[in-house]
Structure formats: structure tokens, C-alpha cells
Amino acid sequence: MPITEHLIELRAHLIKIFAAVLVIFLALVGFSRELYDFLSDPLVAQLPANSTMIATDITSNFMAPIRLTIFVAAFIAMPYILYQIWSFVAPGLYKKEKKVAVPVLLSSIVLFYTGVAFAYFVVLQGVLKFFIMFAPQNVLPMTDIDSYLSFSLKLFMVFGLTFEIPVITLLLILARIVSIESLEDKRRYIIVGCFAIAAVVTPPDGVSMLMLAFPMWLLFELGLFLAKLLIKEDTAPDSDTLVDNQ
């Protein structure tokens, strides 16, 4: 296909993605305040009795819930977004590549959702408790709603993307960019790298760093294990071939 036809097809897929996110956003926008209440529950549960969340900007009361609703709409539409990306890429793949791509696509969706859920239900509460616990005695914590939203969304994206490590590891091995042996030889450096990355991308506390570093390491090991299984299946002699040889 000429490049112009590719661009036209890409535009069609992008329009479908935008329309899907817009439809979900319009369906959820009436519940934007409830969505923000749900997001802020872990923080409100940790605040002292006389402390509340605050809005330091006059537009924050309106814009923070709207920003969250856009994120939730994109989050819900993620399977459809990835399907549109797959529809654009699939015609250029070989049959063997398509066979691997479908389970990789599905597992990517599940892992991303799992990472965000892990960040909300496990990590967020521990991190907030850590920060509030170390507040000075004469300081009453009152977090701005915009700051809390940015903090939470960053945490969700970091953990959502981090949980894609098994898929990334698997794809790198299947594409022969790296080998299983080289990754096993460099395991100790990869583990150190997991802790270094976690220290950079997470808030400045030990709790969130450990809660990201250990899953990164375990997810890397999972990707390595799955790659070994797939490569064994590919290299195993086919039964029909064995009969022909005999």
C-alpha cells in the first residue's frame, strides 16, 4: 500500500479510538465527583480528624474530576484501543507472528489492569500512610486535589506499564534482540536496575520503591520463564516430521 493509504487507514483507527473514549467519557462525566471521591478514599482515610482535602485554584473543583474522568474513560477503552492498534498492524504480520501477537495483546490488557489495581488497592494506601505518619507535629496535612490527582495518576501509570515487563521481555527474546542466556547471565544487574528504576519513578519513599522493585523483578522472571516455554515448543520436533523421517 502507498504511504498515503496507510496514513488514511491510521487516521480512521485514531478517529475510532477518539470516538470510543469520548462516548465513555460522556457516559461517565455525570459521575465525575463520585469517581474522584472513590480515588480520594485512601487519602481521606489516612488524614487526621480535623484535616480535609483543599483546592488551591478556583477551577480545581471542576477540572480535577474531569481530568480523572478522561483517564478512566481511556482506561476502560483500553481493550478497544489496543484492538484498533492490532487491526492496523495485523495485515503486515506473518501467520506465525499473528499466532503469538493475539495472546500477547490479551495478556498486555490483563497485566495493565492488574498493575493499576495493585497500585490503588495495595501501594497507594501504604505510600499515603508513610507520608502522613512522618508529618511534623505542628503540621496538619491538607492535600490539594490537583496535586493528589497528579500523584495518583503517575503512580497508576508507572505500575500499569511496569506490569507489562513479562510481555516486553518475551517480545525482546522472540524478536532475537536479546537471548535467554544473556538475560540469565545479566540477572544480577537487571535486579539492581529494577531497584534503580523504582527509586527514580516512584515517590521519594522506601515503601513505594520496594513495592515496585520486587514486582518488576518477579515479572521479569515470569517473562523469562514464558519465553523458555515458547522456545521449547518451537524447537520441539513435529510428530509428522518424525514419521516422514522414519
Side-chain angles (χ1 to χ4, degrees):
M1 291 176 61
I3 186 66
T4 53
E5 292 187 23
H6 280 295
L7 293 175
I8 291 171
E9 185 179 354
L10 177 61
R11 184 184 65 178
H13 288 294
L14 291 176
I15 291 173
K16 290 178 182 178
I17 290 172
F18 176 77
V21 174
L22 180 62
V23 168
I24 298 173
F25 169 76
L26 294 175
L28 294 177
V29 71
F31 305 95
S32 58
R33 288 184 295 179
E34 287 80 3
L35 289 173
Y36 197 93
D37 289 341
F38 179 75
L39 176 69
S40 61
D41 281 344
L43 175 61
V44 173
Q46 300 291 334
L47 290 176
N50 298 326
S51 183
T52 61
M53 298 187 71
I54 61 172
T56 58
D57 189 276
I58 194 169
T59 62
S60 296
N61 288 327
F62 173 77
M63 291 305 300
I66 293 298
R67 284 173 54 204
L68 175 61
T69 306
I70 294 172
F71 175 83
V72 173
F75 180 72
I76 294 174
M78 189 59 65
Y80 184 77
I81 293 172
L82 292 177
Y83 170 74
Q84 290 299 322
I85 295 173
W86 162 253
S87 299
F88 178 72
V89 174
L93 299 178
Y94 294 106
K95 186 176 180 180
K96 184 179 179 180
E97 292 173 335
K98 290 181 180 180
K99 185 179 178 181
V100 175
V102 173
V104 165
L105 183 66
L106 295 176
S107 60
S108 298
I109 297 171
V110 173
L111 287 169
F112 182 78
Y113 283 155
T114 304
V116 174
F118 180 78
Y120 178 80
F121 291 105
V122 179
V123 180
L124 187 59
Q125 186 173 1
V127 172
L128 295 174
K129 185 176 181 179
F130 175 86
F131 283 125
I132 293 174
M133 181 176 63
F134 282 93
Q137 291 291 334
N138 59 346
V139 174
L140 189 63
M142 289 189 176
T143 303
D144 176 62
I145 61 174
D146 268 331
S147 299
Y148 177 70
L149 177 62
S150 299
F151 172 84
S152 301
L153 294 185
K154 177 187 174 184
L155 199 68
F156 296 157
M157 290 303 299
V158 165
F159 276 84
L161 296 175
T162 296
F163 272 59
E164 301 291 337
I165 286 178
V167 174
I168 296 171
T169 304
L170 183 62
L171 290 176
L172 289 174
I173 294 173
L174 293 179
R176 303 187 186 281
I177 298 174
V178 295
S179 65
I180 294 176
E181 293 75 17
S182 65
L183 290 178
E184 288 179 333
D185 291 339
K186 296 178 176 62
R187 180 180 274 114
R188 67 184 70 179
Y189 303 108
I190 292 172
I191 295 172
V192 173
C194 290
F195 281 88
I197 293 171
V200 171
V201 301
T202 57
D205 67 285
V207 176
S208 56
M209 185 194 76
L210 293 175
M211 286 186 172
L212 180 62
F214 280 111
M216 285 177 71
W217 173 27
L218 295 176
L219 290 166
F220 162 73
E221 297 291 348
L222 175 61
L224 206 58
F225 174 74
L226 293 175
K228 290 179 181 178
L229 290 180
L230 283 176
I231 289 175
K232 280 183 180 179
E233 289 180 1
D234 289 341
T235 56
D238 186 70
S239 58
D240 294 335
T241 305
L242 289 176
V243 171
D244 294 338
N245 291 335
Q246 289 176 356

